[in-house]
Amino acid sequence: MITTAFPVMSLDLVGIIFLADLSIIAQRTALTGGCSFLDTLIFCPGLHCQQDAPDVHGGEYPAVAAMTTGYVFRVENPATINFLQRVGRPGQLTTLSVTNLRNTQHGLFSRYLSSIDSSLSFRVIAAYLLAVGSTVAVSSFLVFTEDWWGLLVIAVLMLTRFINVFLIQSRSRAGWSGASELGVVGDLLVLLSQDRWVRITGYVDDLKAVTSGQWLREMTCIESAVSGFTTLMMYLNVALARNAKFSGQVLLLLLLIGTSGLLGLVNMVTKRFQMHGNLIAVNGPRRKYRRRLDLAEDLIKETGRDDWAVRLGMINPSQASGGKGGKGGNAAFNETLTM
């Protein structure tokens, strides 16, 4: 009788999953407008790519018109563009409102929770804290089983995450956003790709804070070197993971898969967006239109002016009525907003 031994399962290369090029963490960074140090305990494949968060918008810089003044410019903030892409629907007008969090939220606890989820949704916060608890539980088990190599892998992941969080916080401080216009109300129409139309309302200062200037400034030479060092640490972690016990390797695999799923769920159910102390949320149901001209005519009637529609190319100059504030149909499309 010939017996064949069942091959022994090996997870020596489990560390390769650390290098998977996923954008989950970058997407989360864009949705929250930054990150907190509690993120240090959440690990996902692709965490070494967090500094690439400004690229989540896919290179799109949509045209936008200030329907109260007629000026046309572009949305320059990539995180805001990413959120608009998420909430926009083809052939529909999505209305968003911008409010200042400093004027609406009070208390240290609520402010800290808002850094996790601006809407303070129980589902989002529970999934986020479950991801944090998973890391604590796995680390405790590795200590209990004396799997010091596995614990070293966790420590390297935490250090890498901590450095990236520190860099993001240093880069995401509010900078230039134009001249202040206290108390002035604004009304913007954004034309995204794939015929997604978004209207944003709020105070002009808040609108400028979320659409203009830089979200994450460019890294300095030292910051670039530090970011490169964290990438090398991730590759080193692939080698370190081979030395962990089999049980530790299994737990590391389950931890990365589990936290990726939880953080992906958090991103999916997040309905609001934070940027420089401001909150953007969907305001009211979406409106469907048969064609873009219908949208333009509807908003022209509502705002009482059509110069912005001409500059956006939504109507022909010959159709312009020279309504309130109109400057005729020959104004250049690339006229920029006076900041």
Side-chain angles (χ1 to χ4, degrees):
M1 181 177 178
I2 300 177
T3 59
T4 302
F6 190 79
V8 178
M9 182 178 178
S10 174
L11 290 176
D12 287 346
L13 297 180
V14 67
I16 291 181
I17 196 175
F18 302 156
L19 306 178
D21 191 14
L22 301 183
S23 62
I24 299 175
I25 289 181
Q27 287 283 348
R28 189 64 196 164
T29 303
L31 283 173
T32 57
C35 48
S36 68
F37 283 108
L38 192 58
D39 292 338
T40 304
L41 296 174
I42 296 182
F43 311 132
C44 291
L47 64 86
H48 58 293
C49 301
Q50 186 173 8
Q51 301 305 317
D52 297 331
D55 299 329
V56 295
H57 68 308
E60 181 178 9
Y61 291 95
V64 52
M67 294 187 290
T68 53
T69 62
Y71 289 110
V72 170
F73 52 106
R74 294 190 182 276
V75 181
E76 300 291 343
N77 191 311
T80 300
I81 297 171
N82 175 64
F83 181 73
L84 299 182
Q85 292 169 337
R86 289 169 59 93
V87 300
R89 299 292 183 272
Q92 299 183 39
L93 176 65
T94 304
T95 302
L96 308 179
S97 61
V98 180
T99 54
N100 194 299
L101 287 172
R102 302 182 190 90
N103 300 329
T104 58
Q105 291 188 356
H106 304 278
L108 179 62
F109 185 67
S110 63
R111 287 179 182 271
Y112 186 75
L113 286 181
S114 68
S115 66
I116 298 175
D117 175 55
S118 53
S119 61
L120 300 180
S121 168
F122 174 78
R123 291 184 302 170
V124 173
I125 294 177
Y128 185 93
L129 295 180
L130 181 58
V132 173
S134 299
T135 301
V136 175
V138 169
S139 301
S140 301
F141 183 84
L142 293 175
V143 172
F144 179 75
T145 58
E146 299 183 353
D147 189 351
W148 308 124
W149 283 108
L151 195 62
L152 179 59
V153 171
I154 294 288
V156 172
L157 289 173
M158 289 181 62
L159 178 59
T160 302
R161 196 79 161 93
F162 176 83
I163 294 174
N164 277 306
V165 168
F166 179 78
L167 290 177
I168 290 293
Q169 289 192 349
S170 298
R171 297 174 62 195
S172 63
R173 295 172 184 173
W176 181 91
S177 60
S180 177
E181 299 181 45
L182 291 176
V184 179
V185 177
D187 194 351
L188 305 179
L189 176 65
V190 185
L191 300 184
L192 291 160
S193 60
Q194 303 173 15
D195 288 314
R196 293 169 291 183
W197 312 313
V198 179
R199 185 178 187 179
I200 313 176
T201 62
Y203 288 108
V204 170
D205 284 351
D206 298 334
L207 293 175
K208 288 181 178 181
V210 300
T211 59
S212 61
Q214 279 186 311
W215 166 42
L216 295 181
R217 61 169 175 77
E218 299 298 326
M219 287 190 289
T220 64
C221 294
I222 295 178
E223 289 172 339
S224 296
V226 172
S227 178
F229 173 71
T230 61
T231 301
L232 292 178
M233 289 175 63
M234 291 302 300
Y235 280 86
L236 174 63
N237 231 12
V238 175
L240 295 179
R242 296 190 60 185
N243 300 305
K245 296 179 180 179
F246 180 77
S247 60
Q249 292 175 345
V250 171
L251 285 177
L252 288 173
L253 178 62
L254 294 177
L255 176 64
L256 287 174
I257 294 177
T259 52
S260 297
L262 288 171
L263 197 59
L265 176 64
V266 167
N267 290 345
M268 183 176 64
V269 300
T270 297
K271 303 301 181 183
R272 299 185 180 186
F273 162 72
Q274 292 187 69
M275 175 56 55
H276 297 324
N278 295 283
L279 179 68
I280 304 180
V282 176
N283 184 16
R286 296 179 174 87
R287 288 188 283 176
K288 297 182 179 180
Y289 291 92
R290 292 185 306 133
R291 54 182 180 175
R292 192 168 63 169
L293 181 58
D294 294 340
L295 166 69
E297 292 175 345
D298 193 11
L299 293 179
I300 287 172
K301 291 179 181 178
E302 187 174 337
T303 60
R305 59 189 305 156
D306 55 19
D307 50 345
W308 58 267
V310 173
R311 292 166 183 167
L312 278 181
M314 300 182 72
I315 62 174
N316 293 324
S318 58
Q319 295 176 279
S321 61
K324 179 182 177 181
K327 301 178 182 178
N330 297 320
F333 169 81
N334 62 352
E335 182 171 359
T336 57
L337 175 67
T338 302
M339 289 295 182

